[in-house]
Amino acid sequence: MLKIVLITGISGSGKSVALRLLEDSGYLCVDNLPVRFLHDFIATTREDGLERVAVAIDVRSPGELEDLPAVITALRASGTEFRVVFLDSNDHTLLQRYSESRRRHPLTDRLATGGKSPSLQECIDTERELLAPLREQEHVIDTSDLTPGQLRAWMRELVQADRSSVVLTFESFAYKRGVPGDADLVFDVRCLPNPHYDRELRPLTGRDDAVAKWLAQFGSVETMIDDIAGFIRRWLPLYMQDTRNYLTVAVGCTGGQHRSVYVTEQLARRFADHSPLLVRHRNQAPVEVP
């Protein structure tokens, strides 16, 4: 069966990294495909017997982005199954990345008036407006504080997930770095006992046995996990009825190292019967799988 991944999102958010990962994974990749060619391209790949295809479409397709949500809806209605991934980053990160790469924003020339070029911030703001309808209906990955290695690992997990059901993702994060923009539900566990103040536990993470045993001794920790799990079990069926393809549950603590990681891991165990299920830790080193 033909597997299609459509990569889109804000310029500078990591689309090139994601596309290269897919190419290395055996996907036929096409960058900057005009929206008007998407129907014909998919039909051709199917006729050629290809099994894995990835396409990148973004703001570089002038005058056509507004048609993309309708094209996606029509393709899905016709029985075409493909995953759409929207990559995003906060403005501070985007400005920093453009400064480091010294690249021009793709909207610079299109927004220039009277011989005057727009600011980078104006380009980013305009791009967000153009892509807003697409962002609201597809799976979003906030790459603001992700390393290229983390993004590659997350993309690898995502494209291997079966799309026959809602992709349920549990994700830990650090409040000191901000709430991730890809979260659908956010739970704050900073009120729980903190292993950070134990010198022996401080360098460890919530995935280490010593930290897990320390947190498990507190009734408040177990109650918090029970409450979050109960909330998700109650409302997940309604999210699934809402034709949603993805649900990301973010759990945050101060540093994203101990409490949020432990709670995220425990929630994943309780929902092990759900497929597909993904577990992510934004502030942990990625595990690269060859």
Side-chain angles (χ1 to χ4, degrees):
M1 178 180 293
L2 177 63
K3 294 182 180 180
I4 302 173
V5 179
L6 174 60
I7 304 294
T8 187
I10 304 299
S11 302
S13 59
K15 293 189 297 295
S16 296
V17 173
L19 205 61
R20 283 196 297 269
L21 179 278
L22 294 173
E23 186 174 27
D24 292 342
S25 300
Y27 281 74
L28 171 66
C29 296
V30 178
D31 191 15
N32 197 21
L33 180 71
V35 176
R36 63 183 179 275
F37 295 146
L38 186 57
H39 270 287
D40 294 338
F41 175 72
I42 292 176
T44 300
T45 56
R46 185 177 286 110
E47 292 174 0
D48 292 342
L50 298 177
E51 296 183 354
R52 290 183 289 183
V53 176
V55 180
I57 298 178
D58 52 37
V59 77
R60 290 171 293 174
S61 299
E64 299 182 358
L65 273 178
E66 61 210 32
D67 301 327
L68 186 54
V71 171
I72 293 172
T73 300
L75 285 169
R76 285 174 173 163
S78 67
T80 302
E81 295 186 6
F82 62 95
R83 178 168 288 111
V84 181
V85 182
F86 189 104
L87 300 182
D88 197 1
S89 288
N90 60 45
D91 287 359
H92 174 75
T93 300
L94 293 173
L95 292 170
Q96 184 177 19
R97 289 174 180 172
Y98 271 101
S99 175
E100 293 173 351
S101 67
R102 299 184 180 181
R103 297 185 61 187
R104 285 162 52 89
H105 193 281
L107 289 180
T108 301
D109 292 336
R110 288 166 54 188
L111 297 181
T113 57
K116 181 179 179 181
S117 297
S119 68
L120 178 56
Q121 186 63 61
E122 290 174 329
C123 291
I124 294 173
D125 291 342
T126 301
E127 185 177 24
R128 290 198 186 283
E129 293 179 8
L130 292 172
L131 294 175
L134 187 61
R135 188 189 191 283
E136 293 173 358
Q137 63 178 336
E138 302 301 342
H139 181 58
V140 179
I141 296 180
D142 181 359
T143 69
S144 299
D145 59 353
L146 296 186
T147 65
Q150 284 177 307
L151 178 55
R152 286 193 293 270
W154 287 23
M155 281 299 303
R156 183 181 292 110
E157 289 180 337
L158 186 61
V159 298
Q160 291 175 349
D162 182 5
R163 189 170 180 169
S164 60
S165 180
V166 170
V167 178
L168 178 60
T169 301
F170 289 105
E171 175 181 321
S172 70
F173 71 95
Y175 268 99
K176 67 180 182 181
R177 298 190 179 183
V179 177
D182 53 13
D184 297 303
L185 300 174
V186 179
F187 295 94
D188 183 353
V189 298
R190 287 176 293 182
C191 61
L192 299 180
N194 193 351
H196 173 79
Y197 297 107
D198 186 312
R199 292 185 178 180
E200 294 184 359
L201 300 179
R202 185 175 302 172
L204 305 179
T205 76
R207 288 182 288 182
D208 290 310
D209 289 339
V211 173
K213 291 179 180 179
W214 189 88
L215 286 169
Q217 68 180 317
F218 298 98
S220 58
V221 175
E222 187 70 14
T223 299
M224 175 71 80
I225 297 171
D226 287 341
D227 288 347
I228 296 175
F231 180 91
I232 296 172
R233 287 206 182 277
R234 179 176 180 179
W235 295 105
L236 182 59
L238 290 182
Y239 279 107
M240 295 173 70
Q241 291 177 16
D242 191 35
T243 66
R244 180 182 293 265
N245 294 303
Y246 308 91
L247 181 66
T248 299
V249 180
V251 180
C253 64
T254 305
Q257 180 178 341
H258 298 109
R259 295 167 292 181
S260 62
V261 173
Y262 173 75
V263 172
T264 296
E265 291 287 338
Q266 293 303 308
L267 288 171
R269 291 185 181 182
R270 296 196 182 195
F271 286 85
D273 58 337
H274 182 93
S275 180
L277 178 71
L278 302 179
V279 181
R280 299 170 175 169
H281 300 294
R282 296 190 71 89
N283 303 113
Q284 302 291 308
V287 178
E288 289 281 6
V289 180

